[in-house]
Amino acid sequence: MGLTVSAATLGVALSAPLFGALTERLPRKRVIVASLLAVSIPTLLSATSASLGQLILWRFLQGILMPGVVAVLVTYIGEEWPPERMALMMSFYVSGTALGGFLGRVATGILTDWFNWRVAFLVLGAGSLAGASLVATWLPPGRPRAAMEAGARPAFVPQVRNLLGSRRLVATYAVGFNVLFSLVGVFTWISFYLSAPPFQLSTTALSMLFFVYLIGLVVTPAAGYCITRVGLRAGIAGAIVCSMAGVVLTLAPSLAVIILGLALVACGVFIAQTAAQSHLRVAAPSGSRVTAAGLYMTCYYLGGTAAGVVPGAFWALGRWPACAWSIVAMQGIALGIALLGWRPGDPALDRQTTESLNPETAQSNL
């Protein structure tokens, strides 16, 4: 059954960089709408599955098609909003993903209890179709991109090699791996801890833990505004430290403190996602931004896939405390990579970062 989850994340990880390279020159809105429509097809077909193998196949195809939405949309935000507002707008996007994650987990659980799992997939597919219609109607087509972006670019393999040669981008990919690893690792494995004595929470009570996602809807935009003032490097450091503190709090014997810790984990992860995706716009070269975002999605979803497996080894050694400290150690490594990888060093890129985060400087340059 775990493959029904990891198949989708693996599909995203495999297709994201290729999808980014193939769609680099295409109109962003057209790719986003087409991908939303395409994702709805395997989602609806999941409801027709006659075996577990068929369900895993449809889930894998969902993942293969998803980068057309997430990777391209991250690039679209970076291109369509002024640099001084980019982190704030990215925070609204991340808040939207938090709301989607919450609704996807809670609403489908309720539908499955009331009806069955097939109805849940049908509703998800219908929601994807409705979302595609709304995006097609409301999303602006986007401004014409610079002629330089439309010109000749390196082939896929050299392009990826150039992107992986960037210290800042590699650090950003490592942060992306840690973001989903932390979120999936904590919320997956703590459920085993809380379902056992002394807490013994029911399945319904465990699903209610995802209400802490809603805190991110408020905190993330506020943090996005603050990041524009303190900078991306300070923002990512604060986000990871917040998440680490949250994981440590889950070791307390009090359920109330554990819930507070989960809220801090969610907030830290969402803020880190905002900072990392904003940094992609700063660090990625023009003409390779969708490919760079695709590589980020690959690392991001590989982190989620690893979180379903790696903490299990620590669980066997020491249950939840061992899992928690292993996740904190992973976050500490990501913090060090971010601080080193995002440190000043490239004068041109440092100047671009300053202009992106300083509204007064950006306005004067305009």
Side-chain angles (χ1 to χ4, degrees):
M1 289 302 297
L3 288 176
T4 63
V5 177
S6 59
T9 58
L10 183 61
V12 177
L14 292 175
S15 70
L18 291 173
F19 208 108
L22 291 173
T23 61
E24 194 74 69
R25 298 187 183 185
L26 299 177
R28 310 299 193 208
K29 178 180 177 178
R30 187 179 303 172
V31 174
I32 293 169
V33 174
S35 298
L36 284 170
L37 291 171
V39 166
S40 67
I41 296 174
T43 304
L44 291 169
L45 289 174
S46 296
T48 70
S49 300
S51 67
L52 183 61
Q54 289 182 15
L55 180 59
I56 292 171
L57 173 62
W58 297 130
R59 291 283 290 157
F60 179 73
L61 290 177
Q62 280 181 302
I64 289 290
L65 296 168
M66 189 61 68
V69 181
V70 290
V72 179
L73 189 54
V74 168
T75 305
Y76 176 91
I77 293 173
E79 292 174 344
E80 297 303 314
W81 272 270
E84 69 273 12
R85 297 181 61 195
M86 183 180 59
L88 179 61
M89 299 312 301
M90 196 69 74
S91 70
F92 284 119
Y93 164 68
V94 173
S95 293
T97 66
L99 179 60
F102 167 76
L103 292 177
R105 291 178 179 271
V106 175
T108 53
I110 294 173
L111 288 169
T112 301
D113 282 341
W114 287 1
F115 303 100
N116 56 60
W117 62 271
R118 297 182 189 274
V119 171
F121 275 110
L122 290 174
V123 171
L124 286 175
S128 182
L129 289 173
S133 176
L134 291 175
V135 170
T137 302
W138 290 345
L139 191 68
R143 293 172 293 184
R145 298 197 294 279
M148 179 179 59
E149 293 191 39
R153 288 187 308 275
F156 175 68
V157 173
Q159 188 179 38
V160 171
R161 187 184 302 118
N162 290 337
L163 293 173
L164 294 179
S166 167
R167 164 174 55 85
R168 295 195 175 197
L169 284 175
V170 170
T172 305
Y173 298 151
V175 170
F177 182 96
N178 171 75
V179 165
L180 199 58
F181 182 91
S182 300
L183 190 67
V184 173
V186 169
F187 280 88
T188 297
W189 293 94
I190 201 171
S191 62
F192 296 103
Y193 173 60
L194 295 178
S195 64
F199 302 104
Q200 293 184 305
L201 296 187
S202 66
T203 302
T204 301
L206 288 173
S207 67
M208 293 300 103
L209 293 176
F210 289 96
F211 271 95
V212 300
Y213 273 33
L214 299 182
I215 300 175
L217 298 181
V218 178
V219 173
T220 306
Y225 177 81
C226 293
I227 287 174
T228 63
R229 296 297 186 269
V230 302
L232 293 173
R233 192 164 179 260
I236 190 65
I240 295 177
V241 169
C242 174
S243 184
M244 293 173 68
V247 177
V248 173
L249 286 180
T250 63
L251 297 172
S254 167
L255 182 59
V257 176
I258 290 174
I259 293 174
L260 174 61
L262 292 176
L264 289 178
V265 170
C267 291
V269 163
F270 296 151
I271 296 169
Q273 179 78 323
T274 297
Q277 292 184 336
S278 298
H279 191 261
L280 279 176
R281 176 64 175 85
V282 174
S286 177
S288 299
R289 286 171 182 151
V290 178
T291 305
L295 289 172
Y296 176 85
M297 289 294 113
T298 294
C299 296
Y300 179 80
Y301 282 98
L302 284 176
T305 303
V309 179
V310 174
F314 291 93
W315 177 274
L317 292 175
R319 301 294 175 176
W320 173 243
C323 282
W325 286 116
S326 69
I327 293 171
V328 169
M330 179 69 75
Q331 292 173 323
I333 293 172
L335 175 61
I337 291 174
L339 291 177
L340 290 174
W342 292 14
R343 71 184 187 276
D346 183 339
L349 191 53
D350 294 338
R351 182 172 61 255
Q352 185 180 2
T353 303
T354 302
E355 294 172 358
S356 296
L357 297 174
N358 188 322
E360 290 76 12
T361 303
Q363 289 297 332
S364 64
N365 288 342
L366 290 175

